[in-house]
Amino acid sequence: MQATLPARLYGCPDAWARERSAVFGRAWLFLGHEAEAAAPGDWIASDVAGHRLMALRGKDGVLRAFHNVCRHRAGPLVTGARGRCEGELVCAYHGWRYALDGRLRSAVGFGAADGFDPREFGLLALRLETWRGLAFVTLDEDAAPLADLVAPLEALLAERGLDIAAPALRRSHDLACDWKTYAENYLEGYHIGSVHPVLADELGSAEYRVRVEGDGVVQEAVGVNDGPQAGVWGWLWPNLGVNVYRDGAMIERMTPVGPGRTRLDYLFLNDGGEAALGEALEASDRLTAEDAAICEAVQANLSAGAYDQGVLSPRHEAAVAWFQSRIARVHP
């Protein structure tokens, strides 16, 4: 029998600081679809666990990743989730200008300074790799290739003949719960009968299976066949849901924004665009509202002081146990 993580780790500033460094500072982090930055000067950006990240398409067509921070006095280079710059990046604070490959082009108005070499003040670069059009970055220069992380999910998609479609719509939801609270909810189907009545009806007598493979988790409703829930539900360490169906996909990033606070970032993919999402969008909104309500209630109880630790079901919560075991390694 495995006990749960102590309640104090959910929403604790010290735990947040350790996870920001030891989990998110060493993992592959999803940024967006490369088609969202298709032309030179196009960029996509996000903050994940306080890491301000961006990817920029160069004049040579290469997509490169950088920290979204100017080398002068840490001003922002871009604001928002995506956009376009004409020929160069310009810091919003003092106007330093950077080429699309990250080189410092002009320290505007800086003046003469002994020892200042512009060649040493290019943007801080990050490793970027893509899988099926999805762009990931990592702060860890020694991280294993992205292909290792996605291998089990790639094999399953290839076996089922499923593709990842083009970007159609982005949505975000703010939750008053720790990112771990939401991730653990995602990693088990034990709660479906209590929390998701419509989904439970759709699944019917289907067997809900969850298995850990490598650095990811695969969830399947065996016996659904051609029903509305047919497809592959994958999850990649540390915070990414990859839900792929025959007519599209939905990428769900569980983005920590601070102790006890989470932002769900959804990227819906469908070759027919937003208009083709239809019932999939309605279902997503319903499930998100249901999950948000229960996760925020759980977070309130974790913070209330009565509960410390519980137990995990080997039958239903093996993936939660695996997740919590990995999280436990970063906490003394």
Side-chain angles (χ1 to χ4, degrees), residues 12 17 31 37 69 71 86 96 129 193 210 221 242 257-259 262-263 265 269 288 294 317 325:
C12 168
L31 194 54
V69 55
R71 294 294 305 282
E86 294 297 336
W96 278 30
E129 295 182 17
V210 180
V242 182
V257 294
T262 301
R263 186 183 69 242
D265 292 321
L269 303 112
T288 296
I294 194 62
E317 296 168 313
S325 294

Side-chain angles (χ1 to χ4, degrees), residues 40-41 56-59 64 66 85 87-89 98-102:
L56 174 67
R57 185 75 66 178
K59 291 183 178 179
R64 298 178 176 87
F66 305 99
C85 57
E88 61 183 5
L89 282 172
Y98 296 87
L100 299 187
D101 61 4

Side-chain angles (χ1 to χ4, degrees), residues 89 96 114 124 169 178 181 197 252 270 305:
L89 282 172
W96 278 30
D114 291 342
L124 300 170
L169 176 68
D178 193 84
T181 304
E252 180 178 1
N270 191 298

Side-chain angles (χ1 to χ4, degrees), residues 137-162:
V137 300
T138 181
L139 285 68
D140 185 358
E141 295 181 356
D142 298 320
L146 176 65
D148 291 358
L149 173 66
V150 302
L153 190 53
E154 169 60 33
L156 194 56
L157 295 182
E159 174 189 320
R160 304 285 176 85
L162 294 171

